[in-house]
Amino acid sequence: MLGLMMDAPLLIPSILEYAAKYHPNTEIVSRNEDHSLHRYTYAEALVRTRKLANALNRLGLKAGDRVATLAWNNYRHLEMYYAVPGAGMVCHTVNPRLFKEQIEYIINDAQDQYIFTDPCFAPLVEAMIMNLPSVKGVVVMGSREQMPGNILHRALCYEDLLVAESPVFEWPQFDERTASGLCYTSGTTGHPKGVLYSHRSTVLHAMAINQPGLFGFGPDETVMPVVPMFHVNAWCVPYAAPLVGARLVLPGPRLDGPGLLEVIRGEGVTVSAGVPTIWMNLLNHCAQTNQSVAPMRRVVIGGAAVPQVLIDGFAAHQALAVQGWGMTETSPLGAVSVLDTRHDDLPAEDRMALQLKAGRSPFGIEMRITDAEGKALPWDGKTRGELEVRGPWVASAYYNLDDRDQFTKDGWFRTGDISTIDADGFMNIVDRVKDVIKTGGEWISSIELENLALQHPSVREAAVIARADTKWSERPRFILALHPGKTITGAELRKVVEPFVARWWIPEDFIVVDEIPHTATGKILKTALRELYGVENHPDAQKM
Ligand code: ADP
């Protein structure tokens, strides 16, 4: 017997309609390329979004067509987030910091019909356009004055498109499983793969992250997604914040320490989200200039392991740093490390040990760890296996790619992360399958070693890679970037690591570099480090 409740589809535009109706005067503040601020309200955003939907139809775009964006976190990008899927098309957020060849590959794979670009990426689009046969037109997301002069002659102007349109638009009603957004993995471990979100997965995920203890935004908060809108829908923050009527701050391109602090303090940001490197830069800037991160009181950090210095650093400003784990394929939220009352009486170091884990799944995500034969492994906090997940906002396949190896026959997604899970369900990532260091047949956790190295005050950033070894096949090696003017000796490094790990885990040597290379989304590019520093005897290696 079926229930007798209404079958209202979960569609993305309903979020903005809701915000405009119940929080019409709540502000969206957006920082432009020239660092000036643009302000408007949810009510005004909705009017422009409806106009944009009309403009998309006028361009001849049809249901299911892919529309690419190359844009920072700004209000026009937000309008695209709602108008494109709302009108039935698919919003393909492209990461402009990938290599040109990778962007071309992604746009051709997606067969995008139009590109909507920030003015600053116009030269990039111009350089690629001849290699993008599916693209019928380019729209520059700016006013007439911001149109590029001598390139992209036939590009359309976003503001001109909107002026011509009516603010009346009836959002079409369709199956909530309709595709809404497309995002390619950043390709840290291989060719980028397309993840195709649906209206249902996006709305459910936005509702899920708003639970207390997760992102849990409220109407009294000012929320700033620092994670870019071209990276996993900015972790869905641009959908989750309007859903509860929170004030939204979109920081634009300037994401260095001073740039972030200016907008946090100037606009009263209370909660934010982003990858660890961004926050390291912010805290370093605060320390150098003796300023606080107030009024920011909560930061969700994920995308890479969160080191203790970051949690301690925010705590020193009375701000709570919450670690989350996720992937492009999981929309992204898969786990959050939030303590509960049972942990109140634990000693400080035990509480910290939990905060350093990736955390527990929210309702909606199931996880398990498996061995090489696919057998489920125990949740004892020690046994390591490949992490597998499933749930209504986890990818069931890749777009335009038959990659069955990543999906199990019984319906789980294989993450490629190696992890442990303890009896309480706290999951801890110890490595990625491709980064794993196997020495004499045993695994070493590079993440654990990296976190220990960061305890040394001279170390700004740490990576552990596998180097070749005649006897053990692979051995770990530290690659370190130091704070300006600081030094480190092998003996000092050994001292911070030695008490906490087995003797055979301790690397024999380390290399100090000026900068550690990062992926377009701010993660350490281990493939590049292995290529540069992976030989057994490297001339720059110092003994430890
Ligand atoms: P890519 O796979 O190309 O790096 P994603 O942004 O989808 O792009 O990255 C997902 C990966 O990031 C995860 O599989 C995991 O390895 C890593 N990751 C995310 N959050 C954490 C975390 N809290 N701790 C450790 N690793 C993390």
Side-chain angles (χ1 to χ4, degrees):
M1 180 162 53
L2 291 179
L4 293 173
M5 305 310 280
M6 294 183 187
D7 213 358
L10 302 171
L11 299 180
I12 285 173
S14 62
I15 297 176
L16 192 58
E17 290 282 347
Y18 172 86
K21 191 165 195 169
Y22 292 96
H23 304 273
N25 300 321
T26 299
E27 252 187 338
I28 301 167
V29 184
S30 173
R31 192 161 54 174
N32 299 314
E33 281 175 15
D34 66 3
H35 303 168
S36 61
L37 295 172
H38 174 274
R39 296 174 191 278
Y40 69 169
T41 63
Y42 279 127
E44 289 166 307
L46 177 64
V47 169
R48 280 174 55 90
T49 301
R50 288 182 182 153
K51 287 182 171 198
L52 177 58
N54 279 319
L56 295 168
N57 282 333
R58 196 178 301 278
L59 290 174
L61 288 159
K62 299 272 178 298
D65 282 350
R66 274 77 64 206
V67 180
T69 62
L70 276 165
W72 291 107
N73 294 12
N74 60 47
Y75 67 102
R76 294 189 183 99
H77 206 176
L78 184 76
E79 291 159 6
M80 292 291 285
Y81 258 48
Y82 286 90
V84 177
M89 296 122 210
V90 178
C91 187
H92 175 200
T93 51
V94 180
N95 183 340
R97 285 188 285 182
L98 294 174
F99 293 120
K100 176 172 158 286
E101 292 69 29
Q102 273 180 316
I103 301 180
E104 288 172 355
Y105 166 84
I106 285 173
I107 291 178
N108 288 330
D109 189 57
Q111 291 284 290
D112 294 326
Q113 304 274 307
Y114 264 84
I115 297 178
F116 280 63
T117 177
D118 272 355
C120 63
F121 301 122
L124 174 65
V125 177
E126 166 81 5
M128 297 188 299
I129 198 79
M130 294 303 288
N131 303 328
L132 306 174
S134 67
V135 175
K136 293 186 189 137
V138 175
V139 178
V140 176
M141 294 162 76
S143 60
R144 206 66 335 255
E145 301 78 63
Q146 288 172 292
M147 292 301 284
N150 46 2
I151 54 168
L152 292 176
H153 295 293
R154 290 191 297 157
L156 302 168
C157 166
Y158 186 96
E159 290 302 326
D160 283 1
L161 287 184
L162 259 58
V163 166
E165 296 299 339
S166 155
V168 180
F169 183 85
E170 279 293 322
W171 300 109
Q173 297 293 298
F174 39 67
D175 190 322
E176 63 183 12
R177 293 165 301 177
T178 303
S180 60
L182 178 62
C183 181
Y184 282 72
T185 59
S186 49
T188 314
T189 54
H191 231 19
K193 299 178 200 171
V195 177
L196 191 60
Y197 304 115
S198 68
H199 284 258
R200 174 185 154 81
S201 73
T202 307
V203 175
L204 282 177
H205 179 263
M207 289 166 74
I209 68 173
N210 263 321
Q211 293 172 83
L214 303 183
F215 289 48
F217 301 141
D220 54 342
E221 287 185 297
T222 294
V223 179
M224 175 170 72
V226 174
V227 48
M229 288 170 75
F230 51 75
H231 182 52
V232 208
N233 284 336
W235 299 351
C236 229
V237 174
Y239 294 125
L243 197 146
V244 293
R247 187 164 168 267
L248 193 58
V249 173
L250 302 171
R254 196 164 164 225
L255 304 178
D256 56 358
L260 280 183
L261 193 61
E262 181 188 279
V263 76
I264 289 168
R265 295 174 68 105
E267 289 308 316
V269 171
T270 56
V271 45
S272 188
V275 295
T277 22
I278 291 278
W279 301 120
M280 281 300 217
N281 293 341
L282 176 74
L283 288 179
N284 285 339
H285 173 68
C286 288
Q288 281 154 14
T289 55
N290 203 16
Q291 296 187 77
S292 127
V293 300
M296 198 161 73
R297 46 177 189 255
R298 214 161 78 243
V299 196
V300 182
I301 312 179
V306 178
Q308 188 176 340
V309 277
L310 216 43
I311 297 174
D312 286 341
F314 276 112
H317 294 282
Q318 281 78 51
L320 176 68
V322 180
Q323 167 148 217
W325 168 87
M327 305 178 70
T328 310
E329 292 89 333
T330 62
S331 296
L333 189 74
V336 176
S337 191
V338 181
L339 307 191
D340 58 48
T341 46
R342 280 181 305 160
H343 307 114
D344 282 352
D345 300 329
L346 287 181
E349 61 265 30
D350 292 358
R351 289 170 59 84
M352 178 56 74
L354 288 175
Q355 285 179 276
L356 288 173
K357 294 188 177 194
R360 287 190 282 204
S361 303
F363 171 75
I365 294 288
E366 289 176 84
M367 53 171 71
R368 68 180 185 189
I369 44 174
T370 57
D371 65 13
E373 278 75 50
K375 193 168 73 57
L377 294 169
W379 290 22
D380 58 12
K382 289 196 292 282
T383 309
R384 296 152 177 215
E386 178 166 3
L387 179 66
E388 297 180 351
V389 293
R390 67 177 178 188
W393 53 87
V394 177
S396 62
Y398 288 106
Y399 175 75
N400 203 21
L401 181 81
D402 189 5
D403 191 351
R404 286 191 207 150
D405 284 355
Q406 282 228 232
F407 301 90
T408 68
K409 287 207 176 66
D410 58 342
W412 294 72
F413 168 65
R414 298 178 57 201
T415 64
D417 283 336
I418 306 289
S419 70
T420 61
I421 307 180
D422 72 15
D424 276 344
F426 276 83
M427 183 270 289
N428 190 31
I429 305 280
V430 291
D431 245 317
R432 297 188 79 163
V433 172
K434 296 209 170 147
D435 292 342
V436 154
I437 302 168
K438 254 194 165 170
T439 183
E442 300 262 16
W443 281 346
I444 289 179
S445 165
S446 56
I447 294 181
E448 213 171 315
L449 286 172
E450 285 157 9
N451 282 341
L452 288 171
L454 282 168
Q455 301 296 324
H456 191 285
S458 296
V459 177
R460 179 162 56 86
E461 205 168 9
V464 172
I465 59 160
R467 66 161 174 82
D469 191 89
T470 331
K471 184 162 172 208
W472 301 105
S473 95
E474 282 183 351
R475 287 293 300 154
R477 169 178 281 156
F478 274 121
I479 310 294
L480 305 174
L482 304 183
H483 287 290
K486 299 284 182 200
T487 55
I488 192 166
T489 65
E492 285 168 2
L493 192 53
R494 176 171 277 274
K495 215 161 142 195
V496 289
V497 180
E498 211 158 38
F500 302 101
V501 298
R503 172 112 47 84
W504 58 274
W505 275 39
I506 302 174
E508 283 72 32
D509 57 16
F510 67 104
I511 295 179
V512 174
V513 296
D514 291 340
E515 281 303 330
I516 288 183
H518 291 107
T519 66
T521 45
K523 298 179 197 197
I524 294 179
L525 198 52
K526 293 232 172 142
T527 41
L529 284 177
R530 276 194 187 203
E531 262 170 47
L532 288 169
Y533 305 111
V535 294
E536 180 154 8
N537 297 308
H538 193 281
D540 297 341
Q542 305 178 49
K543 288 270 161 264
M544 58 178 280

